[in-house]
Amino acid sequence: MATNHLLEINQYGQSIWLDNLTRDIIQSGELKELVENQGISGITSNPAIFEKAIAGNVIYDADIEAGIRSGLPTSKIYESLVFADIRNACDILRPLYQASNRLDGYVSIEVPPTIAHDTEATIAEARRYFQEINRENLMIKIPGTEPGLPAVEQVIADGINVNITLLFSVESYVNTAWAYIQGLEKRLAEGKDISRIASVASFFLSRIDSNIDAKIDAKLKKGVDDIAVEAKLKAVKGKVAIANAKIAYQEYKKIIRSERWQALAAKGAKVQRLLWASTSTKDPNYRDVMYIEELIGRDTVNTVPPATIKACADHCNVSESLETDVDKAYTLIENLKDPDINIDIDNVMDELLVEGIDKFIQPFQSLMNSLEEKIKVLSPV
């Protein structure tokens, strides 16, 4: 029998989560199989995934019709469909959640992306989702925007598991880590248990390389007279996201050595793990599993779409790679300032965050539109 390399990755202290959730994989037993035998130990979802799952699939029609008969508005029908899938996925993962002492076995759901810039609305929706879905292995996804971080702090203080998403810069990751710590400190000060709360910080990868590679390609297309300059530009392509992630992990190690973190750990707090997201390779010239192979390390998670999971199970080269070539990672990021390369990484990260929120809002609105169309078709005349 062929080796499943996903199971090897688990031995290095990294969890592999599935970046996909549909009713099909729940009802067919595929999800149970992935969890019990294929090394998958969590699930992330987002509006784009649900749009694909619900829009063209008759599997949801009976529930949509039930919502119509109950006179529910479109938004509530949407929630009834998605919350049911999330609950069922949580139930499948619950044994693993218990066996791992609440380290893994989580299912993530996003608060509506349309409220990404509204702190109070984010807090209110996170509380409502957690209460209505009513599963302790649920994680609420909150974007790591400026208004998102105070929401993260409060929701953690409330005792709700949080997946902070859309992190691109190392600075935004560090701010997220401290928001988690402040939330735990607040909860502890209220005399409440902090040992049952989990959090991940979702650090995005392929979108960074896609953005920077496009900038480099534009420079190369204009024409570069100097061979040395051309070589410098080409040396950066496809390398920035992994270098950036390696630096973020070094910051994680500093944070967990801090006195503030150590005081919380002594009270049973769980580390907030870095989660590598956006891990399918967009450029066909790159190795299809590079965002997995090059970032394997302790206390991390990689959330992976189905095609990349199959590819990795088949041909990932597995080693503890996250802390190799760290000096080169710092040098590479520093070299972006070189006048010959001249890429402002802070601007890139800002661009990506704005784009990232749009990429969640668009499918969310598209899903609502296609659901409305379906409701019209399925409504009795």
Side-chain angles (χ1 to χ4, degrees):
M1 194 174 159
T3 303
N4 176 352
H5 298 294
L6 295 171
L7 298 172
E8 290 176 39
I9 290 172
N10 298 157
Q11 292 165 19
Y12 287 98
Q14 182 175 82
S15 299
I16 301 291
W17 290 4
L18 173 66
D19 191 22
N20 185 46
L21 181 59
T22 68
R23 192 161 291 187
D24 289 330
I25 67 165
I26 293 169
Q27 292 189 353
S28 68
E30 184 186 341
L31 180 57
K32 198 165 189 283
E33 161 65 15
L34 285 167
V35 171
E36 290 180 357
N37 301 312
Q38 304 297 320
I40 299 303
S41 57
I43 298 172
T44 48
S45 66
N46 62 46
I49 287 170
F50 279 124
E51 187 207 9
K52 284 190 193 117
I54 295 170
N57 200 331
V58 296
I59 203 167
Y60 292 94
D61 287 3
D63 282 358
I64 295 170
E65 286 169 341
I68 295 165
R69 284 195 300 275
S70 301
L72 296 179
T74 304
S75 61
K76 289 295 175 193
I77 291 177
Y78 157 76
E79 284 182 5
S80 74
L81 305 177
V82 169
F83 287 9
D85 285 356
I86 295 283
R87 281 187 203 103
N88 288 329
C90 282
D91 292 344
I92 290 167
L93 282 150
R94 188 175 169 78
L96 193 146
Y97 168 77
Q98 290 169 324
S100 67
N101 190 26
R102 298 185 293 277
L103 176 72
D104 279 313
Y106 292 95
V107 181
S108 293
I109 183 175
E110 194 117 15
V111 292
T114 45
I115 58 169
H117 298 294
D118 185 332
T119 304
E120 292 309 316
T122 298
I123 293 168
E125 286 295 80
R127 286 170 172 163
R128 184 175 71 83
Y129 275 33
F130 201 70
Q131 191 174 7
E132 288 190 19
I133 293 170
N134 192 26
R135 295 292 186 274
E136 60 179 339
N137 54 330
L138 176 70
M139 258 187 187
I140 304 293
K141 286 173 89 172
I142 296 176
T145 54
E146 211 171 300
L149 293 183
V152 168
E153 187 179 324
Q154 183 54 54
V155 169
I156 290 291
D158 288 347
I160 295 169
N161 308 309
V162 181
N163 174 344
I164 300 98
T165 186
L166 289 176
L167 302 174
F168 295 96
S169 72
V170 172
E171 183 190 8
S172 66
Y173 158 64
V174 170
N175 292 340
T176 289
W178 287 109
Y180 174 59
I181 286 170
Q182 281 154 213
L184 291 174
E185 288 170 339
K186 193 171 175 180
R187 187 168 173 82
L188 197 59
E190 292 166 0
K192 292 174 183 166
D193 177 28
I194 58 168
S195 69
R196 300 179 73 84
I197 304 163
S199 179
V200 292
S202 291
F203 202 74
F204 280 55
L205 300 173
S206 64
R207 293 183 195 181
I208 294 173
D209 283 336
S210 295
N211 182 298
I212 287 175
D213 286 4
K215 288 177 167 59
I216 290 167
D217 287 340
K219 289 173 192 280
L220 291 168
K221 202 172 176 185
K222 277 184 189 169
V224 178
D225 298 332
D226 189 326
I227 293 170
V229 172
E230 188 179 334
K232 272 187 199 177
L233 287 165
K234 286 182 174 173
V236 170
K237 279 192 72 175
K239 299 281 195 308
V240 176
I242 286 165
N244 198 45
K246 288 187 175 191
I247 293 168
Y249 188 72
Q250 294 306 307
E251 291 300 318
Y252 158 80
K253 286 171 65 187
K254 286 180 201 166
I255 289 164
I256 62 166
R257 286 196 297 264
S258 71
E259 281 182 24
R260 280 174 72 184
W261 173 254
Q262 292 296 326
L264 292 167
K267 299 284 185 183
K270 288 181 162 45
V271 292
Q272 179 193 60
R273 291 183 293 173
L274 267 160
L275 175 149
W276 314 126
S278 178
T279 55
S280 62
T281 310
K282 304 293 186 278
D283 187 326
N285 296 311
Y286 299 153
R287 189 162 161 80
D288 59 354
V289 289
M290 74 175 192
Y291 295 118
I292 303 177
E293 287 179 339
E294 299 196 40
L295 294 171
I296 298 169
R298 239 144 254 302
D299 296 328
T300 57
V301 179
N302 200 321
T303 188
V304 188
T308 313
I309 278 181
K310 285 194 177 81
C312 181
D314 178 64
H315 57 258
C316 260
N317 293 318
V318 178
S319 65
E320 198 156 5
S321 50
L322 184 51
E323 295 202 77
T324 58
D325 297 330
V326 172
D327 291 347
K328 285 183 186 170
Y330 282 102
T331 304
L332 184 96
I333 299 297
E334 193 57 34
N335 285 350
L336 295 176
K337 296 174 187 168
D338 181 317
D340 291 332
I341 299 172
N342 190 27
I343 286 173
D344 185 331
I345 192 157
D346 295 331
N347 276 357
V348 168
M349 300 310 181
D350 291 344
E351 268 174 45
L352 287 168
L353 180 59
V354 172
E355 252 176 49
I357 291 163
D358 282 347
K359 279 183 179 170
F360 283 162
I361 289 173
Q362 285 162 7
F364 183 73
Q365 288 174 334
S366 170
L367 169 55
M368 289 306 181
N369 293 339
S370 55
L371 195 51
E372 273 174 19
E373 288 304 311
K374 229 176 192 195
I375 289 165
K376 279 179 199 164
V377 170
L378 295 171
S379 291
V381 179

